[in-house]
């Protein structure tokens, strides 16, 4: 048996991959698994809501050397809020395997704050066994270009003039800022969907949120040289002071501004018909992210659909299993009180 690769302190390195809903974290993780170069990798994937799909997208991808045991899924909560109950035991389970991983990839939910997770690496149960090799923030280039994470200053000024007591807190902007403020490297993903001038504007927008220079790398479809991400040696758990957050020491962090629901996704006659339904659902008030899968009559493979804002994509990810029920499901994540009725009506066709 080969000994696991460790840092100079004898710890197994871990890479935390953070980023807002739909930025491309899972796509990046799959790319890293596909290009592991013989290194034993394991993945901890966390999702916001009761049903997890990202773990199944990774586990079902057919990557050589990547088994079901290498993917540990933590649904029903936010990893940054359930460190003691979920994260630490899951990490220990991976470390205690007969053939432990040489590197662990940790994909947070799109609403997670990475700093509490980095702090968890100082817990007595794991601090002598693992280290944060680096925090990678995946940024959705088109979403930033469209102003999803920034308030309109003119609109705020007009609103303040009418009502001085109005609350201007933007929960999307706070999550976005916390994620990039904790990063050792920022990936500007989906850069192929933004022109050169737009990419420069997005980089300038990111820089406005940062108190220090952090390297920004342009990527498309999460494809990046693994050596840029794995092997940073950041030991981020020992560098917490340099990673500011909107949520101070000991301050409670919750997700009361957001909600999620898993809904049935009926079969459609064609991928185009299914995408049209999901795209209509994405237009409902308050919806931020949709992701799920469904069956297409006559097709042996499962069709995955994912939407961010008004952008909806689809692809076949794997064959249906023998005897597997072809019941489609769609997870919808949105602001608290989003228009669920409109979403359900759109999905029903």
């Amino acid at each position: 048996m080969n000994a696991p690769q460790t840092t100079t302190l004898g710890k197994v390195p871990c890479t935390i991959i953070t980023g807002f809903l739909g930025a491309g974290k899972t796509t990046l993780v799959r790319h890293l698994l596909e290009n592991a170069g013989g290194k034993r990798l394991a993945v901890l994937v966390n999702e916001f809501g009761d049903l997890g799909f990202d773990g199944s997208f990774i586990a079902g991808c057919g990557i050589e050397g990547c088994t079901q045991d290498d993917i540990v899924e933590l649904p029903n909560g936010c990893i940054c809020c359930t460190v003691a109950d979920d994260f630490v035991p899951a990490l220990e389970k991976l470390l205690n395997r007969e053939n432990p991983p040489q590197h662990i990839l940790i994909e947070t939910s799109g609403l997670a704050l990475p700093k509490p997770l980095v702090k968890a690496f100082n817990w007595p149960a794991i601090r002598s066994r693992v280290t944060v090799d680096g925090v990678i923030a995946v940024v959705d280039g088109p979403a930033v270009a469209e102003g999803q994470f920034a308030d309109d200053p003119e609109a705020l000024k007009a609103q303040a003039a009418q009502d001085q007591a109005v609350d201007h807190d933007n929960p999307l902007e706070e999550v976005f800022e916390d994620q990039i403020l904790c990063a050792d490297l920022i990936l500007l993903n989906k850069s192929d969907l933004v022109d050169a001038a737009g990419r420069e504007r997005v980089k300038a927008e990111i820089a406005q949120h940062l108190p220090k220079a952090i390297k920004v790398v342009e990527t498309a479809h999460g494809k990046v040289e693994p050596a840029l991400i794995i092997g940073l040696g950041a030991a981020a758990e020992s560098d917490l002071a340099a990673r500011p957050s909107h949520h101070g020491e000991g301050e409670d962090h919750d997700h009361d501004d957001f909600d999620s629901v898993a809904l049935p996704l009926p079969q459609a006659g064609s991928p185009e018909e299914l995408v049209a339904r999901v795209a209509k659902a994405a237009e409902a008030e308050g919806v931020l992210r949709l992701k799920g899968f469904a069956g297409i009559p006559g097709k042996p493979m499962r069709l995955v659909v994912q939407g961010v804002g008004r952008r909806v994509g689809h692809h076949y990810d794997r064959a249906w299993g023998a005897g597997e029920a072809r019941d489609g499901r769609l997870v919808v994540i949105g602001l608290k009180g989003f228009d669920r009725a409109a979403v359900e009506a759109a999905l029903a066709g």
Side-chain angles (χ1 to χ4, degrees), residues 30 53-63 66-68 71 301-302 316-319:
R30 285 184 59 157
F53 287 124
D54 289 343
S56 67
F57 292 161
I58 298 170
C61 65
I63 298 171
C66 179
T67 69
Q68 189 71 42
I71 314 297
M301 300 190 73
R302 191 174 75 163
Y316 291 103
D317 74 328
R318 65 168 176 83

Side-chain angles (χ1 to χ4, degrees), residues 88-289:
V88 171
L91 197 57
E92 287 184 301
K93 183 178 179 181
L94 284 175
L95 296 172
N96 292 336
R97 285 167 47 173
E98 181 181 353
N99 200 22
Q102 295 171 302
H103 198 106
I104 300 172
L105 306 174
I106 302 170
E107 179 189 340
T108 71
S109 84
L111 299 176
L113 307 184
K115 187 170 182 178
L117 183 57
V118 174
K119 290 174 63 177
F121 279 73
N122 288 315
W123 278 52
I126 60 174
R127 65 186 179 192
S128 65
R129 307 181 69 186
V130 288
T131 182
V132 181
D133 182 63
V135 179
I136 311 300
V138 184
V139 171
D140 184 333
V144 177
E146 293 164 5
Q148 180 174 338
F149 304 109
D151 289 311
D152 181 339
E154 293 303 318
L156 284 181
K157 185 177 179 181
Q159 190 178 22
Q162 295 177 6
D163 184 359
Q164 295 293 329
V166 71
D167 182 3
H168 297 312
D169 287 344
N170 181 341
L172 302 185
E173 187 175 25
E174 283 197 6
V175 172
F176 173 70
E177 283 191 344
D178 268 44
Q179 290 173 346
I180 62 175
L181 286 170
C182 195
D184 295 293
L185 179 70
I186 295 173
L187 298 185
L188 179 55
N189 200 31
K190 306 181 187 178
S191 60
D192 55 319
L193 302 180
V194 185
D195 61 24
R199 292 195 295 272
E200 291 307 310
R201 289 195 302 271
V202 170
K203 290 179 182 178
E205 169 70 17
I206 292 172
Q208 289 179 6
H209 295 272
L210 301 175
K212 61 180 180 180
I214 297 177
K215 185 174 181 59
V216 177
V217 176
E218 296 179 11
T219 60
H221 308 290
K223 293 183 178 179
V224 63
E225 173 57 46
L228 287 176
I229 293 176
I230 294 177
L232 297 183
E237 70 275 12
S238 302
D239 187 33
L240 293 169
R243 303 167 192 269
S245 168
H246 283 284
H247 300 79
E249 189 76 25
E251 181 180 343
D252 289 338
H253 159 59
D254 57 45
H255 296 295
D256 289 343
D257 295 311
F258 306 97
D259 204 355
S260 71
V261 63
L263 301 172
L265 185 56
Q267 284 194 4
S270 68
E272 292 75 20
E273 179 185 337
L274 188 66
V275 167
R277 285 190 205 162
V278 174
K280 186 175 181 181
E283 295 176 0
E285 184 71 25
V287 170
L288 299 172
R289 173 84 161 109

